Amino acid sequence: MSEAFVPLTDFVNESKSIPRDHPLDKPVAKWTEEEVLNGEIVEAGVVILRTRGCYWSIKEGCSMCGYFNDTVPGGVSDDMLREQWKRVRPILKGKKYAKIYTSGSFIDPTEVPFDFANEVMSDLSDMGVEKVLIESLPEFVNPKNFNYEKAPKLEIAIGLESSNPVVLDKSVNKRLRWPHFVKVCKLARDNGAEVKAYILLKPPYLSEKESIDDAVKSAIDAAPHVDKISINPVNVQKNTVVEKLWFRNEWVAPWLWSVVDVLKKCEDLPIRVYSDPTGGGTRRGAHNCHDCNKKILQALNNHRLGLGDLKGLHCNCKSRWDVLVQQSNLRRNGSEPHGYRSGFSGSRHF
Amino acid sequence: MEPISHEGLGRLLKLDSSLQTPHIVFSRTELSESGNLETGGTIKIGKVFDLPPSPLGLDSDKPPYLQLSKDIAVIDNAYSLQPKKLVEIASTFRKEAGFSRLIYAPAVEPSQMPILAYLGVDIFDDLNVELRSSTGWVLESGEWIKNNGKIDDLFAHNKEELNRWILRIRNALLNGKLRELVEVTSLHNPRVSQILYHSTQLLIDKGAKVKSNIRSNDLSLNHPAIVDFQDRLSDYEPPAKNMVLLILPCSARKPYFKSSSHKRFFNALREVDNYLALHVVSVTSPLGLVPRELEFCYPAAHYDIAVTGKWSASEIEMLRNQLIKLNPKEHYAKAIVHAGSSSKIMTNLIKELGIEVVDTRVEKPSSYEGLEILQNVARMSLTGIPLLNTKDRAHGEARGLAKFQYGEMSDFLIKSEISGRMPYKLRCGDFAAMSPVVGGFGLTLNGAITYASQGGPIVVAEDFKLIGDLFAVGVKSYKGNWNIGDQVVIKQNDEVTAVGIAKMVPEEMISMNRGVAVEVRHHV
């Protein structure tokens, strides 16, 4: 029975709420983490600047994205952005790798003014940073938006999410088209930037098995066009469609076994495919049972840094994951009974 | 498919010689994946049917709630929807799905299957049972028990038990005992009890009236048939003005007037002058108050309850509400309470409403001494009460009953030539006569003609000689609305040819090709 296409527009907009007031002169967050640069493990400085936020999240937004909660709807003035930059400089000093995030697109000139971005890049270059990672929607990946006077090697991370248009339309609510993505990857690489693709694992509505298949397929599709791929297991962020579905028990966060499975299936790809699950091991993030969360997350981190592989991992909950994956496409959504991952031990669940 | 039995919104359908609903499909052999996101896979229920696609991008909080393929309607998330929302959705099941589609609820727990079947779900699966089995739990009568011993192939074992469980649901549905099974599963399951609680009004409005015995308990205060009876007491009027209200205890035997205790009351009372001016109302739980004329009406003659002699706070509150609906201050001159253990409560409640009341203070109401006291108190109370003759009393009784049963459409019965007297010989001219099967006045063919002309529900049948019951295949169209168990008029060629009791709801009669649509009581 054919049915008219129902965009998620209303559902997304009804899930959102106006972000609370934030101080404009402070960044959202800053920290350091281990990263791989030219085959070596280095310490990377990570900062999230507070901006007006992603233009798409203002209009509609994606079903799993709650980053708009950290934005300022009225926008942040250039002065305040410079104030924020002053506060994050110390953490970037002396690092070879920097990640500059906003809760949107760094190279959207209406979100981060080009002049300010230009200053930031030349400052980073002066500090000795060799490579800088920024994020953007594909529509802003245009040389005129990142044609800086002086800048470290640029790595642009693009949220591909999935190469399947059905998933993009009916699950993620992202207006991205595969041919356009391929085009902007080429454009970025032709202009001296590297491209990192984000691929979602288990966007809403999808079952465990569907989501594994979709992530693997998307990674295989994207591999020729990008320099590395990060598999992002969907986590439950505030005021999103995903959170609503999670509250209603119509969807639960993916298993870490699924993450491992996807990475194993992508082992033969010519580029690095890894995962650093946000909120891993918690109820809102990718998780297994209580016994093995830590162990698997450690293994994933080692895999990301090239320190180990994902072989030989085991836990009692693995067989449960097998049973679920086998039947998950028949379940018609991404749900499972409460307490299943721990074998319904403890209190009663029915 | 052929409807065999209904209860609540649930239905027992015969699909073919060996298949009946509610039915379990076994996922490994009877469900198949679709291979892509936009189609729905298949389900095998005898034959293989297409499933609708899964609800990508939809908000389960908004209509349409069901996903439809040609033969199947899926209620996704039945296991997790908010109880109130689920009931709201259940009220639109047939509007969205019609009657020819089977309603399938994927991945629900066995403990929720009875209530979902009660609300109209036809098909369940074993997906959650498979997950439970893989963690070593054993299914036993819809509940999960942790297994310490070793069972080879636990999933196979649990599938067999699941089959027994669905058989039990089906059997309950066949015997009008599904409500009992639902109540049992609700006892220690907050979700099921919430759903049950919220579904009362829906079941009153749309549920099949199966008239099975209500073996009542504390949950029965919310039984749709009981709440419906209680609600309708507000429109009720006693047979005459200024009668003396006599509160008697209920009896185990139903209807009460057939019990030995009530026969003894009657024999004692009829020696009193003007005893017809006494109006007997029995006090009972969970129904509250049952006036004598309504003792035939469902469920007054169809329930049973554990007699403890104690009244709970909620029961007393219920009695107070029922008494207010009866409106003694307006309808009665005074009151006598002769109800054994409930006498004190009733006396106090009646006093609250400000009418004169005498409590006989007898512990054993039907004992010899008790009857003597009752006789004396009745004699005293009846002095000064105007004489009520048999004819006027019968008239009043017929009016009360007709109004209770037919509401606004009861005029033609009230204005007819009423004859006979309670219980069995009461008639409304040639329009209606007492019928324990109908539970009150059953329409005659003549009554049916008038009833139809005043807007009573009509089933229009094909043109053929009607000799027995009317089957769904012979139904052409319908007018008006009714629930299963209501009386309907059958018209053929624009002529009323029969009257009977509906066994299907209106749209169902049109959709179904098999099964009894109307159980005919009178035909030309």
Side-chain angles (χ1 to χ4, degrees):
Chain A
M1 199 169 166
S2 74
E3 207 180 298
F5 166 55
V6 191
L8 276 154
T9 311
D10 289 348
F11 202 179
V12 172
N13 278 329
E14 285 160 18
S15 306
K16 286 194 292 195
S17 76
I18 295 165
R20 61 185 175 85
D21 286 338
H22 302 285
L24 303 182
D25 57 341
K26 293 199 182 95
V28 177
K30 53 181 195 235
W31 69 91
T32 61
E33 65 185 25
E34 287 181 312
E35 249 305 338
V36 180
L37 181 64
N38 306 324
E40 253 178 75
I41 299 178
V42 297
E43 204 180 29
V46 189
V47 303
I48 307 176
L49 299 177
R50 202 180 294 284
T51 65
R52 176 209 69 191
C54 170
Y55 93 94
W56 177 241
S57 83
I58 293 167
K59 207 170 160 221
E60 292 187 16
C62 298
S63 60
M64 72 293 168
C65 179
Y67 292 130
F68 66 87
N69 289 311
D70 296 326
T71 64
V72 182
V76 179
S77 69
D78 291 10
D79 287 349
M80 286 297 137
L81 283 173
R82 288 192 176 93
E83 200 60 38
Q84 290 184 32
W85 184 248
K86 266 188 214 158
R87 288 175 191 260
V88 301
R89 284 186 83 244
I91 210 162
L92 299 170
K93 219 165 211 164
K95 307 287 190 306
K96 289 184 178 172
Y97 201 159
K99 301 184 180 181
I100 314 293
Y101 298 141
T102 67
S103 300
S105 300
F106 187 84
I107 52 176
D108 172 358
T110 67
E111 183 186 337
V112 181
F114 182 83
D115 290 342
F116 171 72
N118 200 24
E119 284 167 40
V120 163
M121 286 299 164
S122 96
D123 195 15
L124 285 170
S125 194
D126 292 343
M127 282 193 270
V129 171
E130 290 174 19
K131 194 180 197 178
V132 59
L133 174 77
I134 54 154
E135 293 177 327
S136 175
L137 281 170
E139 42 266 57
F140 303 111
V141 181
N142 183 324
K144 74 170 199 277
N145 288 337
F146 56 89
N147 187 16
Y148 304 117
E149 283 163 10
K150 190 165 120 194
K153 173 90 176 163
L154 205 59
E155 183 178 17
I156 303 176
I158 303 176
L160 166 63
E161 322 305 4
S162 167
S163 63
N164 183 341
V166 178
V167 175
L168 289 173
D169 281 344
K170 296 195 172 181
S171 160
V172 183
N173 197 43
K174 188 163 191 158
R175 304 283 185 270
L176 179 152
R177 287 289 164 266
W178 174 253
H180 185 234
F181 174 78
V182 173
K183 200 174 110 192
V184 302
C185 287
K186 184 165 187 312
L187 199 58
R189 291 165 109 181
D190 287 351
N191 286 280
E194 283 182 4
V195 178
K196 171 181 177 181
Y198 293 137
I199 287 173
L200 284 183
L201 176 61
K202 205 169 176 188
Y205 303 103
L206 265 57
S207 70
E208 204 76 22
K209 173 88 181 329
E210 281 164 347
S211 69
I212 293 171
D213 293 348
D214 182 61
V216 172
K217 169 88 168 40
S218 302
I220 293 170
D221 288 343
H225 308 287
V226 301
D227 300 282
K228 61 179 163 184
I229 292 173
S230 169
I231 302 291
N232 294 354
V234 171
N235 62 318
V236 185
Q237 300 178 359
K238 290 221 159 68
N239 307 320
T240 58
V241 166
V242 163
E243 192 184 42
K244 276 203 168 177
L245 296 179
W246 181 67
F247 279 151
R248 294 179 194 166
N249 199 20
E250 293 171 16
W251 176 95
V252 277
W255 292 61
L256 288 169
W257 291 122
S258 303
V259 182
V260 171
D261 192 41
V262 170
L263 296 181
K264 279 184 172 167
K265 285 175 174 158
C266 293
E267 251 167 12
D268 296 333
L269 291 181
I271 54 166
R272 269 182 72 211
V273 183
Y274 62 86
S275 178
D276 183 10
T278 313
T282 68
R283 292 193 312 132
R284 281 180 177 256
H287 62 282
N288 283 348
C289 71
H290 300 307
D291 298 336
C292 66
N293 281 335
K294 272 191 184 157
K295 192 168 74 181
I296 310 286
L297 286 169
Q298 187 59 48
L300 286 172
N301 198 41
N302 289 345
H303 171 264
R304 179 170 73 91
L305 299 173
L307 299 174
D309 59 22
L310 299 168
K311 291 201 180 84
L313 291 171
H314 183 76
C315 178
N316 283 339
C317 66
K318 178 86 185 286
S319 61
R320 287 171 214 149
W321 174 77
D322 280 328
V323 174
L324 179 78
V325 167
Q326 209 179 41
Q327 63 155 247
S328 68
N329 283 4
L330 303 173
R331 297 184 71 88
R332 297 175 57 85
N333 62 19
S335 72
E336 65 193 51
H338 273 304
Y340 177 59
R341 295 184 192 188
S342 303
F344 303 107
S345 54
S347 57
R348 47 200 294 168
H349 305 272
F350 48 83
Chain B
M1 53 176 84
E2 175 184 353
I4 306 279
S5 175
H6 293 78
E7 184 176 349
L9 305 178
R11 47 186 197 165
L12 193 147
L13 295 173
K14 189 171 154 191
L15 299 176
D16 63 32
S17 55
S18 61
L19 272 179
Q20 293 186 331
T21 67
H23 173 73
I24 294 273
V25 293
F26 291 103
S27 57
R28 289 199 181 165
T29 48
E30 294 168 336
L31 286 175
S32 80
E33 300 176 12
S34 66
N36 71 55
L37 292 170
E38 288 194 296
T39 54
T42 64
I43 186 167
K44 189 175 169 212
I45 307 161
K47 282 181 288 188
V48 174
F49 301 106
D50 282 334
L51 281 171
S54 57
L56 282 188
L58 299 185
D59 182 350
S60 63
D61 216 24
K62 297 200 177 130
Y65 300 112
L66 303 183
Q67 306 300 313
L68 304 180
S69 68
K70 189 170 157 287
D71 302 290
I72 308 288
V74 180
I75 163 86
D76 284 296
N77 314 314
Y79 64 93
S80 64
L81 284 160
Q82 285 297 318
K84 230 176 169 167
K85 191 77 199 174
L86 180 66
V87 172
E88 184 197 323
I89 293 174
S91 72
T92 67
F93 270 177
R94 295 302 165 196
K95 219 164 99 197
E96 287 190 22
F99 285 88
S100 56
R101 286 192 183 91
L102 293 170
I103 297 183
Y104 166 43
V108 300
E109 281 292 325
S111 58
Q112 292 184 25
M113 288 175 185
I115 181 80
L116 288 172
Y118 192 37
L119 293 178
V121 173
D122 301 303
I123 308 291
F124 300 100
D125 61 38
D126 64 347
L127 290 168
N128 276 11
V129 171
E130 184 178 20
L131 295 187
R132 273 277 174 175
S133 304
S134 76
T135 55
W137 292 75
V138 185
L139 183 63
E140 164 71 42
S141 302
E143 292 206 29
W144 291 107
I145 311 164
K146 187 75 185 171
N147 177 35
N148 291 320
K150 181 92 185 127
I151 297 180
D152 293 335
D153 200 353
L154 190 54
F155 185 33
H157 175 94
N158 283 344
K159 278 202 280 194
E160 246 170 66
E161 176 63 26
L162 184 61
N163 246 342
R164 272 195 291 276
W165 180 238
I166 202 77
L167 195 66
R168 207 169 140 192
I169 295 174
R170 220 180 284 145
N171 206 39
L173 188 42
L174 185 64
N175 296 323
K177 298 256 178 272
L178 184 56
R179 169 98 197 173
E180 285 186 9
L181 185 58
V182 173
E183 283 177 0
V184 168
T185 47
S186 78
L187 278 181
H188 302 287
N189 189 320
R191 179 172 166 78
V192 174
S193 39
Q194 276 181 64
I195 299 171
L196 188 60
Y197 173 80
H198 290 301
S199 54
T200 306
Q201 194 56 46
L202 170 62
L203 293 165
I204 294 173
D205 294 344
K206 293 190 175 173
K209 296 168 187 159
V210 290
K211 306 198 175 171
S212 59
N213 233 11
I214 300 171
R215 300 187 283 188
S216 71
N217 54 52
D218 285 356
L219 292 171
S220 306
L221 289 175
N222 257 323
H223 193 295
I226 285 167
V227 176
D228 191 31
F229 184 94
Q230 291 174 342
D231 286 348
R232 283 194 288 155
L233 198 68
S234 12
D235 298 329
Y236 166 81
E237 274 174 37
K241 287 265 170 224
N242 290 320
M243 291 175 83
V244 174
L245 170 65
L246 172 57
I247 303 277
L248 292 180
C250 66
S251 64
R253 179 140 189 191
K254 314 283 182 320
Y256 310 129
F257 67 78
K258 283 173 111 178
S259 72
S260 63
S261 62
H262 279 246
K263 279 180 190 160
R264 287 164 73 101
F265 296 140
F266 180 70
N267 288 338
L269 291 170
R270 71 173 169 189
E271 288 171 21
V272 180
D273 289 342
N274 195 18
Y275 77 95
L276 287 176
L278 287 170
H279 187 228
V280 172
V281 173
S282 304
V283 55
T284 177
S285 181
L287 273 175
L289 299 172
V290 182
R292 174 112 301 170
E293 310 86 270
L294 305 185
E295 285 180 18
F296 271 126
C297 297
Y298 186 78
H302 312 74
Y303 73 94
D304 201 355
I305 188 166
V307 178
T308 57
K310 290 267 178 272
W311 291 77
S312 71
S314 53
E315 282 173 322
I316 293 173
E317 191 52 39
M318 178 270 294
L319 284 178
R320 176 179 286 123
N321 287 334
Q322 289 311 99
L323 205 56
I324 291 169
K325 284 178 196 158
L326 197 59
N327 201 352
K329 179 126 194 188
E330 182 162 319
H331 288 146
Y332 299 103
K334 44 189 138 176
I336 304 170
V337 177
H338 183 71
S341 61
S342 35
S343 285
K344 214 168 165 190
I345 294 165
M346 284 311 295
T347 311
N348 287 338
L349 290 176
I350 293 173
K351 262 188 201 151
E352 278 176 25
L353 296 175
I355 81 161
E356 192 190 320
V357 53
V358 185
D359 182 357
T360 58
R361 299 188 195 202
V362 174
E363 271 178 34
K364 291 187 173 166
S366 56
S367 66
Y368 183 73
E369 297 78 21
L371 291 172
E372 206 172 78
I373 295 172
L374 174 64
Q375 223 173 33
N376 288 334
V377 171
R379 206 166 272 136
M380 260 163 27
S381 299
L382 283 169
T383 46
I385 300 293
L387 197 73
L388 187 62
N389 64 33
T390 319
K391 204 177 160 199
D392 287 347
R393 163 120 193 186
H395 230 268
E397 283 169 335
R399 188 183 58 225
L401 179 58
K403 266 192 143 172
F404 186 83
Q405 263 189 287
Y406 294 88
E408 285 171 358
M409 279 193 282
S410 57
D411 258 17
F412 73 104
L413 294 175
I414 294 168
K415 288 183 184 144
S416 67
E417 200 178 313
I418 289 157
S419 61
R421 49 185 249 202
M422 282 293 283
Y424 293 105
K425 294 275 172 72
L426 197 64
R427 289 188 70 92
C428 297
D430 60 351
F431 290 143
M434 281 302 275
S435 155
V437 177
V438 173
F441 283 128
L443 293 171
T444 61
L445 207 53
N446 239 338
I449 293 170
T450 316
Y451 189 47
S453 71
Q454 298 195 347
I458 299 168
V459 177
V460 181
E462 305 282 353
D463 191 17
F464 58 88
K465 175 93 181 92
L466 192 63
I467 35 174
D469 290 342
L470 175 64
F471 287 82
V473 69
V475 176
K476 216 154 86 180
S477 63
Y478 66 89
K479 226 175 96 186
N481 199 11
W482 62 85
N483 287 343
I484 292 166
D486 289 346
Q487 291 186 82
V488 290
V489 180
I490 298 173
K491 267 189 173 181
Q492 290 173 296
N493 260 343
D494 221 30
E495 294 272 319
V496 172
T497 54
V499 59
I501 299 171
K503 291 285 156 187
M504 293 181 185
V505 288
E507 264 312 310
E508 195 177 15
M509 289 187 183
I510 306 292
S511 313
M512 293 292 143
N513 288 323
R514 301 181 68 96
V516 179
V518 182
E519 188 184 293
V520 172
R521 294 188 65 242
H522 303 288
H523 62 83
V524 181

